[in-house]
Amino acid sequence: MGAGETSAGAAGVPGPVVSRVVSRPALVQRLAGAARVTFVSAPPGSGKTVLLKSWISQPDMAGRAGWVPVGRDDRDPQRFWLSVLDAIRRTSVGSALVRAVSAAPDLDGWVLMELLLKDLAPVRDRLWLVIDDVHELGSEDVLRQLELLVMRAPPELRFVLVARHDVRLGLHRLRLEGELTEIRAEDLKFSVAEAAELVASAGVELPASALTALHERTEGWAAGLRLAALSLARQPEPVRFAADFSGSERTVAEYLCAEVLSQQSEQVRRLLLRTCILERVNAELASLLTGDEGAERILLDLERANAFVVSLDGQRTWFRYHQMFADLLLLELRRVAPGEVAGLHKTAAGWLAEHGFPSEAIRHAQAAQDWDLAAGLFVDAWSGLRLNGQHATIHELLTAFPADLVAADAGLAVVAAADELNRGSLEAAESYLGLAERRSASVPEPDRRRFRILLGIVGLLLARERGNVSAVAEVAARLCAETAAGTAVRGCGEDLRALASISLGAAEFWVDRLENGRDHLEAGVALSRRIGRPYLEFTGLADLAMAEIYVSFARADRDGRQAYELARRHGWTGHAAAGVACMAVATVLVWQGRTEEAEPWIERAERTLRAETQPAASLGICYVRALLELGRNRYEAALTALRSVQAQARRLDGPHHLIPRIRTFQIHALIRSGRAEHAERLLAGLGDRDRAFGEIHTAAAELNLAQGDPHAALAALAPVLEGAVPLDRRVWRAQAHLLAAAAYDALGDSAGAESAIEHALDEAEPDGLLSPFLLYPPPGLAHHNRTAHASLLAEIRGALDGAQVKEAPGGPHPLAGPLSDSEIRVLRYLPTNLTSQDIAGELSVSRNTIKTHIRKLYDKLDVHSRTEAVARARDLRLLAPAPPVPGAARH
C-alpha cells in the first residue's frame, strides 16, 4: 500500500482506505502467512500503517483483527492492556470469549495479561492482534508482559507488531524457530511500477525517465512519493518538478522535521547537520567535524532507530543518510550556520585525501571553492584514477572546475588533454597538451618532476593513438628514467613501467613490429597482474590478443575473451580496449570461417571503436568487417568497408601494416564483382614500396588468373613461394598456395595442384583456418584425397557446401567412432611438447576436459599412449607426416 487517506472506524479500528492506495499483494500475503509473529519495522512514512489498514479492510479479514494504536511515550501498563482487551472484544472471534474489564487500582498489567490468556485459551478460529507503534511503549514491564503473551498465546492468536525500529521483545527466539516474519524498510520501498501507479492516481502522467528519476531521488520512500504525487497535481511543469524534487521541498521538509529531526537531542542534531555535507560518514570523520567523541554511538543508535541512517558495510563503520533526509539537513545547515559550510567541506577534503579517498576529497574542495586545494588534489590523484580506469570520474571532476582555471593551470591542462583524448578528440588533446607545455614555467619547483611525469603519460597515450612508435619509445624511456629513483606522484613506479611497456607494445604491433610488440605487451600484462592493476591488465590483454593472432589463434581467442571478461566485470565494456578485445576474437572466428559467431563480436567492436579516437584500432575492425563480407560474397559491402580503412589510415602518423592486405582484398573484391579492369588500374598505381609486399604478389597472381594467364600468376607467386619475399602469416601463405593450385590446375598440372593444396592445408591446420579456402577455393579441392589433413579437409568441404561435414569423402576412417570437433582440436596438439595443462591453456578449457578428450581419442584410435596416438593418426592421415630428422641420411 502507499500513503493513503483513511477514515477511522469505531474504537480505533481503521476504516477502509478510500484513496491513493497501491495494491501490494506480496506484502499482504506475508502478513497473512503462517508465522506466529509478523514484525514490521521501518522509518516514518514508509507505508507501514497504510499497508496494515488495507490488509485489515479486506473482506476475508472482517472481524478477525484487533487494532491497538500506542500513544507517544505510553507508560501506563493498565491503559495499554485495557486497550488490547477492548480491541480483541470488538472482533467477531473475541467478542464471545474475552470478558469486559474496567479500570481498577488492583488490576496491573500482569493480571490483565493473565486474564487475556485465560479468556483466549479455548479460541479455535484465527485471530490477529495488531499493535501499531510498539516502539512507543515506554514501560519495561509492558514490554516483558507483551513478550510473555507472545510466548504463551494459543496457536490461533497471531501478532502483527509495527515499529519504527527494533524493540526488546526476545523475537530472536521466534526467528530461530521459524515463527517470525519480518517486513523491513527494504521490503516496503516502492518499485518504479508502484510509484507510477501512485503518481497516476493523482491524475499525473510522467514520462518513464522523469518517473525513474523521481523514484531514485525518493529511494522508493512511500511518504516522499505520496507528497510528490500530491504536489505534481498542482504543478504547471510536472516533469521539471519531478526532476528537481528533493527533501528540501516544503511539504517533505515539514514532514521530516516533525517526524525525525525534531525528535532528536541537540547533540544528535548537531552531528546530523555538520556531517550532512558528506556522501558517507564514519565515526572518525564525524568526530572531526563535530568535536564529539561519541559520534560512533550516535550513528549506531540512529541506524538502529531507522532514523534515515543506513549502514554501508557489514561492520557498520560507514553510514549514509537517505537522500531526502540529507537534502533537508543541508537546507537546515544553510539556515542555521551558513558561515560554517565551506569550512566543513575543507576539513572533510583534508581528512579524505589523507585517508586515500581522492575523488571525495576533490569534490569537497570544489564545494568549498578552494580551487587551489582542489586542483592540487586532482592533479596528484589523476594518474591513479586513470590507471584504475576511472575515466567517467575524471571527466566529472574536471568539468566542475571553472573553464578559465583549467586553461590557466598547467596541471589541469594536462588532465584536460587526457580527458579529451579519452573522449575522442585527438586535436583538442594536442591543443591542451601544448598549452600545458607553454605554462610549465608556472609550475612550482617542488612539483616540476610530478608535472613532467604527467606530461609524459599523456604524451605517451597520444603518440600511441597516433601509431607513432618512435615517439612512444622515446616517451616511454623518459618515463621509466623519471620513475626509476621513485617519486611522490601516485601511480608511478611499477605502474608507469607497466603502462609504458603496454603502450610501446601496442604501438609496435600496429605498425607491424610483431615480435617486439608481443614481448612488451606480455611484460606489461605480467607486471600489471603482479601489482594488482586490472585496468592495465585489461588494456594490455586486448592488444596482446591482436598480436597473438599472428602466432596462435588459440591464445588470441583466450586473451581476447579474458580481456572482455575483465571489462564486463569492472564496467569497462564501453572502453576502446574492450573493442580491441572483441576485434581479436572476431578476427579468429572470421579466419576460421565461423562467421555467425563472429558477427556479434564485430558489432560490439564497431559500437566501441571510433575513427577519431582510435584510428589504428578502428581501421582494424573495418578490415575484419570487410573479411566477413567477403566470406559472405557481399563484395560491395566489403569494398565500402575497405575504402573506410584507407580513409582512416590517413589519421595515423606512420604506415600501417594492414594497408597492403587491404589493397589485396580490394583487388579480390573487384575481381569477384566483375571489375577486373578496376583491379588492374589499382595494382598498376602502386609504388615500388607497396609492390615489395608478398600480399601484393598474391593480388597480382589473382588478377593474372582472372585474365586467363596462369603462367604470369605462377611468376608473380614465385618470389613468395620460394621465400624471397616473405609472408610471415600462415593465412597469407595458405592463400598463396591456393592461388598456385588454381594456376597449376589451369595448366593441367594435377600433381602441382595437389602439392599446392597440401601445402595450403599444412599452413591452415595449426589454427583451423577455413576462410582462405572459402575466398580462394582451388578447382582440384573436390578430388584432393591424398592428404594428411583429412579432418580439416572435411570441414572445408562442408563449409563450401554450406553444411558441417564430419568425415572425408570415401567412407569413414577405421576408428571405433567418429572424432568430435573438440577431439580433433586436441589431436592436433599431441605431436607437440605441450603438456595437458599447456593444451588446456591453448584451448581455454580445463585440464580435466583435455584429459577426457585424450582418453576418448585413445579409445577411438585403439592405442594406449600419446606416441601411439600420434603414429596412428598419421597413418590415418588425420595428422601431417612427421618432419624429417635433421642430418638424417636421405635414401
Side-chain angles (χ1 to χ4, degrees):
M1 317 304 158
E5 299 171 6
T6 64
S7 59
V13 177
V17 179
V18 297
S19 69
R20 293 193 181 92
V21 176
V22 176
S23 176
R24 309 187 79 181
L27 289 176
V28 168
Q29 185 175 3
R30 291 175 67 181
L31 286 168
R36 188 191 309 175
V37 176
T38 299
F39 184 59
V40 184
S41 173
S46 297
K48 304 183 295 295
T49 301
V50 175
L51 170 66
L52 293 165
K53 288 180 177 180
S54 297
W55 168 53
I56 289 174
S57 68
Q58 292 182 342
D60 61 344
M61 289 294 294
R64 301 179 65 190
W67 178 284
V68 180
V70 179
R72 182 159 291 173
D73 294 325
D74 196 336
R75 296 182 177 276
D76 185 345
Q78 186 183 89
R79 185 169 64 223
F80 169 73
W81 285 108
L82 288 174
S83 298
V84 171
L85 288 163
D86 186 55
I88 294 179
R89 270 180 48 78
R90 292 180 179 274
T91 66
S92 58
V93 178
S95 61
L97 297 174
V98 179
R99 74 194 76 177
V101 179
S102 300
D106 60 339
L107 290 177
D108 64 10
W110 295 105
V111 171
L112 290 170
M113 187 268 293
E114 291 291 346
L115 285 173
L116 180 61
L117 283 172
K118 182 178 180 181
D119 288 350
L120 288 177
V123 68
R124 294 294 180 266
D125 295 321
R126 183 62 54 87
L127 174 66
W128 277 272
L129 174 61
V130 181
I131 305 177
D132 196 11
D133 288 335
V134 173
H135 61 279
E136 297 289 4
L137 288 173
S139 167
E140 288 294 325
D141 280 347
V142 172
L143 288 172
R144 290 198 299 272
Q145 291 156 12
L146 180 58
E147 180 179 347
L148 190 58
L149 175 67
V150 169
M151 294 297 116
R152 293 172 55 192
E156 293 304 321
L157 177 60
R158 301 302 167 98
F159 298 84
V160 178
L161 308 178
V162 187
R164 289 188 176 182
H165 55 77
D166 287 1
V167 290
R168 292 190 296 274
L169 281 174
L171 298 178
H172 58 281
R173 292 191 292 268
L174 293 171
R175 186 180 294 116
L176 290 173
E177 295 168 4
E179 290 287 348
L180 178 67
T181 294
E182 298 177 81
I183 298 175
R184 299 198 172 264
E186 281 297 317
D187 305 303
L188 289 165
K189 283 183 178 180
F190 273 44
S191 67
V192 175
E194 290 168 335
E197 188 178 343
L198 184 62
V199 169
S201 72
V204 178
E205 288 190 15
L206 286 177
S209 58
L211 184 67
T212 300
L214 179 62
H215 180 265
E216 289 176 353
R217 288 291 299 155
T218 60
E219 299 186 33
W221 180 45
L225 285 166
R226 177 178 182 267
L227 292 170
L230 292 171
S231 299
L232 280 167
R234 302 189 298 269
Q235 297 300 318
E237 297 183 73
V239 173
R240 176 176 294 181
F241 178 82
D244 296 337
F245 187 74
S246 71
S248 59
E249 201 273 333
R250 183 182 58 80
T251 58
V252 180
E254 289 175 355
Y255 181 90
L256 288 171
C257 274
E259 295 293 331
V260 185
L261 193 57
S262 65
Q263 306 301 315
Q264 309 302 328
S265 68
E266 179 60 33
Q267 180 188 24
V268 173
R269 284 200 297 272
R270 174 178 168 79
L271 180 139
L272 289 170
L273 292 179
R274 294 181 69 83
T275 58
C276 67
I277 63 165
L278 302 165
E279 294 178 5
R280 56 181 182 146
V281 62
N282 67 6
E284 183 179 345
L285 186 49
S287 295
L288 177 66
L289 293 176
T290 62
D292 189 342
E293 294 301 321
E296 182 172 26
R297 174 186 55 78
I298 294 173
L299 289 169
L300 289 170
D301 287 347
L302 287 168
E303 191 254 349
R304 274 193 294 266
N306 276 332
F308 293 94
V309 178
V310 183
S311 63
L312 297 175
D313 58 333
Q315 292 73 38
R316 298 167 75 198
T317 55
W318 284 96
F319 303 86
R320 74 168 181 87
Y321 302 147
H322 189 289
Q323 290 185 72
M324 306 294 281
F325 190 44
D327 292 337
L328 163 70
L329 294 173
L330 284 168
L331 178 67
E332 187 69 5
L333 176 64
R334 289 196 298 269
R335 185 182 71 80
V336 301
E340 297 182 21
V341 176
L344 291 171
H345 279 297
K346 189 171 180 178
T347 301
W351 187 93
L352 290 163
E354 183 182 345
H355 288 80
F357 305 108
S359 301
E360 295 170 70
I362 296 161
R363 290 190 184 97
H364 283 288
Q366 290 172 331
Q369 295 194 343
D370 189 333
W371 299 115
D372 288 341
L373 174 62
L377 291 173
F378 191 28
V379 173
D380 189 40
W382 173 78
S383 59
L385 293 172
R386 199 271 170 195
L387 293 174
N388 281 331
Q390 298 183 49
H391 299 291
T393 299
I394 290 171
H395 181 70
E396 174 200 340
L397 294 171
L398 182 65
T399 53
F401 284 95
D404 56 346
L405 179 63
V406 175
D409 186 281
L412 288 178
V414 174
V415 175
D419 186 60
E420 292 290 351
L421 183 61
N422 184 66
R423 292 175 63 79
S425 177
L426 288 116
E427 290 75 15
E430 287 172 334
S431 176
Y432 270 114
L433 203 58
L435 185 64
E437 290 171 341
R438 291 192 296 275
R439 297 196 180 281
S440 60
S442 66
V443 178
E445 182 59 37
D447 298 331
R448 291 277 175 88
R449 188 178 185 196
R450 179 188 68 177
F451 177 75
R452 288 197 304 270
I453 290 173
L454 297 182
L455 203 64
I457 292 173
V458 181
L460 177 73
L461 298 172
L462 181 60
R464 170 180 169 174
E465 293 301 332
R466 290 291 193 191
N468 190 333
V469 177
S470 59
V472 171
E474 178 187 345
V475 177
R478 192 164 65 245
L479 279 176
C480 289
E482 286 277 8
T483 59
T487 176
V489 180
R490 291 189 181 97
C492 289
E494 289 187 318
D495 294 349
L496 278 190
R497 282 194 287 278
L499 173 64
S501 184
I502 289 170
S503 297
L504 182 57
E508 287 173 326
F509 161 70
W510 287 114
V511 295
D512 214 18
R513 297 183 185 176
L514 180 60
E515 287 303 320
N516 288 342
R518 284 182 63 248
D519 290 345
H520 282 114
L521 287 167
E522 286 178 342
V525 168
L527 181 55
S528 301
R529 284 176 178 156
R530 183 169 64 79
I531 63 177
R533 285 286 193 186
Y535 175 74
L536 286 178
E537 179 187 355
F538 151 63
T539 57
L541 270 175
D543 282 316
L544 181 59
M546 287 302 302
E548 291 286 15
I549 285 172
Y550 302 106
V551 180
S552 166
F553 272 22
R555 289 203 295 268
D557 185 77
R558 177 199 64 197
D559 291 345
R561 292 177 190 269
Q562 284 182 358
Y564 193 77
E565 175 57 24
L566 277 173
R568 188 197 60 75
R569 195 183 311 154
H570 292 279
W572 298 324
T573 54
H575 190 280
V580 172
C582 293
M583 176 167 57
V585 176
T587 302
V588 170
L589 295 172
V590 168
W591 280 123
Q592 290 179 337
R594 296 152 65 185
T595 54
E596 296 305 316
E597 293 178 63
E599 181 75 47
W601 290 96
I602 292 175
E603 290 174 352
R604 289 189 194 112
E606 288 173 334
R607 287 193 297 267
T608 307
L609 298 171
R610 303 193 306 275
E612 64 274 15
T613 319
Q614 302 90 20
S618 63
L619 74 95
I621 195 58
C622 289
Y623 170 74
V624 179
R625 166 61 74 181
L627 288 182
L628 183 74
E629 300 299 352
L630 287 174
R632 293 171 170 173
N633 298 325
R634 295 173 53 180
Y635 302 116
E636 288 304 321
L639 286 168
T640 299
L642 291 168
R643 282 192 291 270
S644 176
V645 173
Q646 287 184 299
Q648 292 177 37
R650 288 192 284 272
R651 292 177 172 269
L652 301 177
D653 289 342
H656 195 286
H657 71 273
L658 288 180
I659 299 304
R661 286 130 183 152
I662 289 163
R663 293 189 176 117
T664 299
F665 284 126
Q666 277 182 304
I667 290 169
H668 173 79
L670 288 169
I671 292 170
R672 292 302 178 92
S673 59
R675 288 176 280 177
E677 68 282 0
H678 292 285
E680 186 173 13
R681 284 198 296 272
L682 174 60
L683 192 59
L686 299 178
D688 291 340
R689 183 181 180 280
D690 288 331
R691 289 178 177 276
F693 284 96
E695 291 87 346
I696 301 302
H697 283 261
T698 64
E702 184 176 9
L703 180 61
N704 294 145
L705 286 170
Q707 293 171 335
D709 192 346
H711 288 289
L714 288 173
L717 291 169
V720 174
L721 299 177
E722 294 167 2
V725 178
L727 277 176
D728 57 355
R729 312 289 188 265
R730 289 193 185 108
V731 65
W732 289 98
R733 293 197 295 268
Q735 289 174 182
H737 285 298
L738 290 172
L739 289 168
Y744 283 125
D745 186 82
L747 293 171
D749 185 350
S750 58
E754 283 196 2
S755 177
I757 291 173
E758 192 67 10
H759 283 306
L761 290 167
D762 288 340
E763 297 291 350
E765 178 82 36
D767 286 324
L769 298 172
L770 297 186
S771 189
F773 296 87
L774 306 181
L775 294 174
Y776 306 96
L781 191 65
H783 309 293
H784 187 79
N785 290 316
R786 296 183 59 189
T787 179
H789 308 283
S791 296
L792 177 62
L793 187 58
E795 290 183 57
I796 294 167
R797 286 170 172 157
L800 287 169
D801 292 339
Q804 187 72 27
V805 178
K806 297 295 184 184
E807 298 172 347
H813 291 295
L815 300 172
L819 301 184
S820 69
D821 293 340
S822 298
E823 290 162 0
I824 290 170
R825 283 194 289 273
V826 172
L827 176 62
R828 291 169 184 163
Y829 282 92
L830 294 189
T832 70
N833 292 324
L834 297 180
T835 65
S836 297
Q837 186 65 55
D838 295 333
I839 298 172
E842 291 289 317
L843 297 180
S844 301
V845 297
S846 71
R847 183 181 181 186
N848 286 337
T849 299
I850 295 300
K851 287 184 174 180
T852 298
H853 289 324
I854 290 176
R855 187 166 58 252
K856 290 181 178 178
L857 281 169
Y858 287 0
D859 291 339
K860 292 177 181 180
L861 292 168
D862 192 23
V863 296
H864 302 285
S865 70
R866 184 166 175 170
T867 302
E868 291 176 354
V870 171
R872 177 72 169 149
R874 283 174 172 157
D875 289 342
L876 295 172
R877 295 181 178 272
L878 294 170
L879 291 174
V885 179
R890 296 183 180 180
H891 300 284

